[in-house]
Amino acid sequence: MIELTVNSNAPAAISNAFRKISDMVKSGAIENNTLVHIVLGKGVYSELLSYNLTNPLIMEAAQGIPRENCVIRAENCEAFHKDTENRSVFVIGPNATFVTLKGFTIQNTHVKTLSDEKLGNQAEALCFHNYRGVLTAENMAFFSHQDTIHVKGFSHFKNCYVEGDVDFIWGYCDTSLFEDCTIHTTQDNRGDCTAYVLQSRALNRRRGFIFKNCEFTAFPRENAKIYIARSAGTGKIDSKDRWDSVALINCTVSDSYAPEFFTDEEGTREVFPKGSALVGWREYGTKTRKADGSVVASDTSKRYKMAYVMSDEEYKMNYESTETILRDFPKSK
């Protein structure tokens, strides 16, 4: 293992650390499978980051630093750099293997000023542009407005905070598990616009996005709805991806969210597949948090017509154990 400690007072401190590791691999000083451990000192790191080495990476805030005091912050968006893998603050590329992020914040500071058609407002904080590796995020915070987190392949978010307003969790994932996380729909700076937490483009017949023991909070709208997910509108039985697969397992959802949870946007986006225990829009054990803070069992009778409520047996078989959910994840050697 090689360990590097970086300081926020140094310009491009994290980028330079990545470059140093790359140079060491090229020179033969370390192998391309040597574990890299980067420790972040307190402060704000104003840089756009890209990690695309096969070296397993653990990057974390120094011990004792709260995640709000260790921040990677920059502005980027589709209008500045085209395509998903170029417009985030931190992109993890297709060559990465096992990446673990712990105890800090990533923020894309882009603020929407015009409509999406005139200005590309997609602005990821984190892009996991990788089908073969595994991303693990623990005690992290992610801030943006539109498209905050984009993931492919396999990822596991634990005790994280994620904030945004439109499709702020999305991607072409196999399985992306959010466990004990807070998912917050923030105020849209353009006004009282309809909000969507998710747009799943999950791989064919894979489980997609799974939220277990998560809390969904929201800045309430007076004249617009807030949905858990909207359809990508292009999923088919034989398509490689773009399946509408989202599972809520024992989650608590603010009553600011529309009781339908899911939407085809008034029939303009075809939903596929119909929910079942393993794919599609599905839930188990959902609770509703009312404005006064009280929590009650959720009334699922008003859900979108293709959503599915799992039985106790289906829950126990497929979701009760975190190990069961993660069973298909690639394993480190």
Side-chain angles (χ1 to χ4, degrees):
M1 181 179 74
I2 182 169
E3 182 169 298
L4 299 174
T5 299
V6 300
N7 190 308
S8 62
N9 293 325
I14 303 172
S15 297
N16 287 335
F18 289 169
R19 189 175 300 110
K20 181 176 181 178
I21 298 301
S22 179
D23 290 343
M24 293 176 73
V25 172
K26 290 177 182 177
S27 70
I30 62 172
E31 300 294 328
N32 64 3
N33 60 355
T34 300
L35 174 64
V36 175
H37 184 203
I38 296 179
V39 180
L40 307 178
K42 181 180 179 180
V44 176
Y45 298 82
S46 300
E47 48 186 314
L48 299 177
L49 300 176
S50 176
Y51 187 82
N52 196 29
L53 301 175
T54 56
N55 297 74
L57 171 67
I58 299 174
M59 193 162 92
E60 61 182 327
Q63 188 173 2
I65 298 176
R67 66 188 182 193
E68 61 268 21
N69 291 340
C70 184
V71 182
I72 299 170
R73 178 183 297 152
E75 183 180 11
N76 200 4
C77 68
E78 177 72 12
F80 298 168
H81 300 102
K82 299 297 181 184
D83 298 326
T84 309
E85 64 272 24
N86 300 318
R87 67 191 186 210
S88 67
V89 172
F90 190 176
V91 59
I92 299 166
N95 292 325
T97 52
F98 295 89
V99 175
T100 298
L101 309 178
K102 293 183 179 181
F104 60 94
T105 295
I106 305 175
Q107 180 180 14
N108 192 325
T109 61
H110 179 67
V111 175
K112 302 176 185 180
T113 55
L114 298 170
S115 69
D116 291 349
E117 292 75 22
K118 294 181 180 179
L119 176 66
N121 282 319
Q122 302 99 322
E124 282 81 0
L126 176 68
C127 173
F128 187 60
H129 190 60
N130 183 301
Y131 282 114
R132 296 178 297 176
V134 176
L135 168 68
T136 302
E138 300 180 21
N139 189 31
M140 293 287 294
F142 303 92
F143 293 85
S144 187
H145 280 275
Q146 184 165 333
D147 296 1
T148 306
I149 288 178
H150 173 265
V151 288
K152 295 181 177 179
F154 302 88
S155 55
H156 186 190
F157 295 81
K158 298 186 286 185
N159 300 306
C160 292
Y161 176 89
V162 186
E163 179 175 296
D165 55 35
V166 173
D167 302 338
F168 62 94
I169 299 173
W170 76 288
Y172 304 82
C173 67
D174 180 302
T175 305
S176 184
L177 172 61
F178 289 76
E179 188 173 17
D180 299 313
C181 294
T182 297
I183 312 298
H184 181 68
T185 301
T186 190
Q187 183 179 20
D188 194 314
N189 65 272
R190 299 170 302 177
D192 223 10
C193 302
T194 303
Y196 316 90
V197 174
L198 284 138
Q199 188 180 99
S200 167
R201 300 184 181 186
L203 301 187
N204 186 309
R205 293 178 173 82
R206 305 310 297 165
R207 287 172 293 176
F209 292 91
I210 300 172
F211 296 83
K212 184 176 181 181
N213 303 329
C214 291
E215 178 105 13
F216 287 77
T217 61
F219 184 94
R221 270 68 169 163
E222 293 184 4
N223 301 303
K225 289 187 175 182
I226 307 173
Y227 293 99
I228 297 294
R230 64 170 170 172
S231 176
T234 53
K236 305 292 181 184
I237 191 169
D238 57 350
S239 59
K240 175 184 176 181
D241 48 38
R242 296 176 183 266
W243 280 35
D244 296 308
S245 288
V246 177
L248 270 60
I249 308 298
N250 293 327
C251 291
T252 302
V253 180
S254 165
D255 62 4
S256 294
Y257 286 82
E260 302 95 325
F261 273 19
F262 313 107
T263 179
D264 58 12
E265 296 186 83
E266 298 182 351
T268 62
R269 293 172 179 251
E270 183 178 353
V271 176
F272 187 86
K274 184 176 181 179
S276 67
L278 294 177
V279 294
W281 289 335
R282 58 211 192 271
E283 65 182 288
Y284 175 86
T286 308
K287 298 176 285 295
T288 298
R289 186 176 299 279
K290 296 184 176 181
D292 62 6
S294 62
V295 175
V296 298
S298 188
D299 178 4
T300 61
S301 66
K302 297 181 180 179
R303 295 292 188 263
Y304 178 78
K305 59 186 178 182
M306 292 178 67
Y308 183 77
V309 179
M310 284 178 266
S311 67
D312 292 345
E313 182 179 355
E314 289 170 326
Y315 159 71
K316 291 177 181 178
M317 181 179 299
N318 299 295
Y319 301 100
E320 186 174 33
S321 166
T322 297
E323 288 70 26
T324 298
I325 299 172
L326 301 179
R327 64 177 181 262
D328 296 330
F329 276 44
K331 303 296 188 294
S332 60
K333 296 180 181 180

